[in-house]
Amino acid sequence: MAEELEAERHDVREDGRRPPRAVVGSHRIEEEMFGRAFDGKVIRRIRVFVAPYRAKLALAVAAVLLFTATQLVIPLIIRYAIDNGMAGGVADQGPLTLAVIAFAIAILFNFAASLVQETVVGRVAENVLFDIRRAMFSHLQRVSLSFMDKTEVGRLMSRLQGDVNSMQEFLETSVISVGDVVLLFGIVAAMLYLDVRLGLLTLAVLPVLFLVRIVWLPRARAAFMAAHESNSVANGALAEAIHGVRAVQSMDRQDVNFALFDDKASANLRAHLTAAKYAQVMVPIVDTLTGIAMAIVVVVGGSMVLGGGLDVGVMVAFLFYIQRFFDPIRSLTMQYSVMQRAMASGQRLIAVLDVEVAVKDKPDALTLPADMDGSVEFRNVTFGYDPKHPVLKNVSFTVRPGETVAVVGPTGSGKSSAMALVHRFYDVQDGAVLVGGHDVRDLTQQSLGEEIAMVLQEPFLFTGTVRENIRYNKADATDDAIEEAARAVGAHDFIMALPQGYDTELGERGGSLSLGQRQLLSFARALVADAKILVLDEATASIDSYTERQIQKALATVLEGRTGLVIAHRLATIRGADRIMVLREGELIESGNHEELMRAEGLYASLYTLNFSSFDDIPEGHFATSQSDGAGSRS
Amino acid sequence: MTTNYAASAAALSRSRAHVKAAGLGAGASTIWRITRLALRHPFKVGIALGSTVVAAILQLSIPQLLGMAVDQTQTILAADNAAGVAEAALLTTALILLAVSIGRGLFTMTQNYFAEAVGHHTGYELRLACYEKIQRLSFSFHDAVHSGDLITVVMLDLEGVRMFFSTGLVRLVLLTMLIGIGAYLLLSTDMVLGLTALSFVPFVAWRSPLTHLRLRATWLDLQEKLGILTKVMEENLGGIRVVRAFAAQAFEMTKFDKASRAALALAHDRVGIRVRNTSAMTLSFFISMGLVLWIGGGKVLADEITVGTLASFLTFMTILQMPVRQLGMLVNAFARASTCGTRIFTLLDIDPAVKDGPDAKELAVGDGTLRFDDVSFAYPANPELGVIRNVNFEARRGQTIGIVGPPGSGKSTIAHLIPRFYDVTGGRITLDGQDVRDVSLQSLRRAVAVVQQDSFLFTTSIENNIAYGDPWAHNPRIERASEFAQLHNYVLGLPQGYGTVVGERGVSLSGGQRQRMSIARTLMLKPAVMVFDDSTAAIDAGTEQRIRSAMTEFAKDRVTIIIAHRLSSLMHADEILFLENGEVVERGTHTELIESGGRYKALYDLQFRDEDQNDGGAA
């Protein structure tokens, strides 16, 4: 089967050479860009965000209407001046003066209305954008971690940025659409009012334009989207070349890659040229229709003027209106796309806002007292991300105040899940987790968080100075306390060697520091948090022996006087613990200190004697045989 | 060879300071260079500009025709002529009007299409040039320049340059034609009325570019503010476990609100700037129009001009309004093209620090003997600080050299110097007697393969990743390399086997698996020198042992260099160099080094003491 696919994929080309087994860039699966033009559910949800600005929006709509009215009235004023003041041999200063005064008033209203309309709409749209983003961001702070685990950060960011922006665009254009619709109907009405017959004749070109655009739009949009997509394909390949440049150069792939990239860049060029054709083909069509409309006014309108059936000013006004009336149609059809895009984005925004908040404070949740004893107890805990497949099965244990417990076991044994439950990142399905004698579900998450410090396997630092990172959200930690913590974990020396010491700005995610140094900073951060309980997931990545020694010392310091739960990988850490708990497939199978467990000759002893540097990276085969092989192979 | 890329890095970044510092003179030469790029498509440029001129003339003749039509109804009416003649005249005008409109449409279409086509072709060429340049620029460049900056250059800046032909040059011609001819027509028809009609032009022509420049400046500010907001959100979501672990949600919301408010305030300001100016410009236009109505009306009353002339003046004004407002966009297009172009050209003009010499020969691999003769190296950014100093060693085919030492002792530098990722600053490296700087880069890099510390995987199938350096390889070879690297069984266990997509958007692999993949793809290259740059750190000792024994055969006819901090990885080497502060302080076989009781011995004790103690304890 695999061979067949292979043969198919690597067909021999005409020149007898196989194409290379190579691609540049990866094709991103684009999200649905357009939804239905109108989705009641989306509108209802978005309305909540618009509601606070209702009064302002009403004002904006009023301003839009006034603005449109002034635009409509100007040709009428000109017509009045011509017909009553100057045409057909009449020469009267009165109507002209009147017209100029009316004109002055109209443009003042126009000015005021446009100022109000655009300012209010622009600002409200910005506000709504920021409000929606805040609501989503704040919601993401509370949703269950299993959702966050499943979802890529990039995907969430595109919700928080791209999708929110298209809602803003939608809001702005929908107010302006009101103006367009009014302008369109206004022009039609004005023309019919001035002269029904000429009006109807001239307006006959409108349906033609509508029809043309309806035929054109889906095709043009397909071309625009193809161009858009080919952009992201080409850019993706470029980004890959930048990120992977060292690998590319060391494997000398430049020539092959350049040829492959050329294919993508040419496809991009072709797609854009096609899109440009679609975009431009509308220009002569609209101009032809405008020309027809003007010709009609000149021939028919002109004859009517000649026959005395029409004032010449009306003819001039018609010519003015014709110049304008294709604009609203163009922008309305554009707004149709904006709406469709907004609906698709709206659905994705709602999906984020509707993610369930699984872990909530009870209405009468207690504050965990700061003087609690620091004990941790698991009482018959059963837990699974998917209730059908529990990762912890009926686990019970107690950690006494001040005790350090090392949790070991192969990958997938449930160690990390157990630690996450202490902090109530998830709720148990059965049984209970107790901290300081209280069921964690009865406590406020805030107070629980304050009493449990965590050090994660991957040290995560934030943009900001070293000091800010160690302090993190412990706002009342003094600079002295921070320095003391850094000294305690052995980070002080390297911090002082940085250009600005504690005030050195760290690069993105602490990128300017080595892994070991980031590790030490995250220890210091946990120390400053000054919690009774420390949950620590030891790093698996191998660190050089020198830093390793420092980290071991820091670990001992941090655990002093605290209850410690450590997911341990290193032998030194495991042997240093007061007690070792061995988990396998969600069950606690062994517990005791190193000597006891070695004597028991169980899983721990057999893993230990295999001499793996870490208990996590044990090949599957070894693990299965290790139990039958038994212990003592190294003695 | 000491190229300092710090200046290029600053030029390629989007820091506001740098954008501001770029002077006008540099801008003009950049604009000229972009124009020359466009002129490489003379046929298309010619059609675009020719159509622009014709379209502008046709556009301007429309008000004339309309005025003529109005007058035809008036003069004929006044003369009380035979209706047939008048209608015939109107019909002629209408047909001309229709023809002119269609012509204007067709020429505008041609103008726009060809202008865009020139832009897209230029963009295509620039994109290829950037791609090639990025692929060829040496490691020291990529060390100095933030990859995010580079990505913005090739995406956003390239767009800015690409758009310049249509939004800048063609529009400049169009606007000059429209405003110039329009002004001439108006003024030649009636000087006073013409001046009145044009009175809004200076105001708008001054205001619009000013506004656009201010909007551009605040736009850059806003991007910076939004960049901070993005960072806050991204870090929060990426580090959500830390946030939750420290119960820092409230703290994070404060951070978010601070960044968000700053950006929102600026966004509001920008709305204000934009609206005040567009409104003011519209008002000035309407005031001129009102004046034309007033003065022109008076002139009609005084019989100085006809109603048709007045109508054509008013129509002229509506036609002129757009191009005058667009002066701002024009200025903006020039400003954008000059900053974007400066960055693109900075990138394209950078010379790779490491490149083929003028008479580079193909490397001839014979015995495959690698020699370091007194090799020293310092980074260009810091030439005083020698990263390695006077390193000497020789390795023959089949031999293994181990390199060990504390962090920062220069171990990886040795790995990077052999395939010329950087050039030595002293001494020389030879392969079979040929200085690596005298042979072509391509032949050198085919002969020297480095398994890097951080193994970048491409987002494609596992087989494509393994065959990255030899895309024409057959399946059995790929599988054999994968077996050597102890990866084969794992891959077979995946649902799509070797077709499984890995990398950024594929199945995520553990650190050890990534390193094994990286080893497999290096084995595909069949190099004469193979360097492991701390590339087994995440692989457990047992698996590493199996990789090593699988490779014994492979290592027989090549030089192997192993850089590691885990001594078990390199204890078997024929010679071990202990590096400290860039100098070889101890050298010899494992046994010799243990016996001599120096730093190597101390490190050995540090790493193995644990287990020795334990052996005693457990017994």
Side-chain angles (χ1 to χ4, degrees), chain A residues 30 113 152 179 209 237 243 264 289 299 376 410 433 469 489 504 608 618 622:
Chain A
E30 287 282 329
E152 285 170 57
L209 182 68
H243 291 304
K264 295 203 164 176
L289 291 176
V299 175
V376 174
V433 176
N469 264 291
V489 300
T504 309
Y608 186 80
I618 295 163
H622 263 274

Side-chain angles (χ1 to χ4, degrees), chain A residues 191 194-195 198-199 202 297 313-322:
Chain A
M191 284 169 118
L194 286 171
D195 190 282
L198 190 58
T202 317
V297 172
V314 175
M315 184 175 152
V316 173
F318 261 84
L319 292 174
F320 269 96
Y321 283 133
I322 290 168

Side-chain angles (χ1 to χ4, degrees), chain B residues 429-444:
Chain B
I429 300 170
T430 59
L431 246 171
D432 284 334
Q434 304 148 84
D435 191 316
V436 292
R437 285 167 295 184
D438 295 339
V439 298
S440 78
L441 269 181
Q442 191 169 39
S443 62
L444 176 68

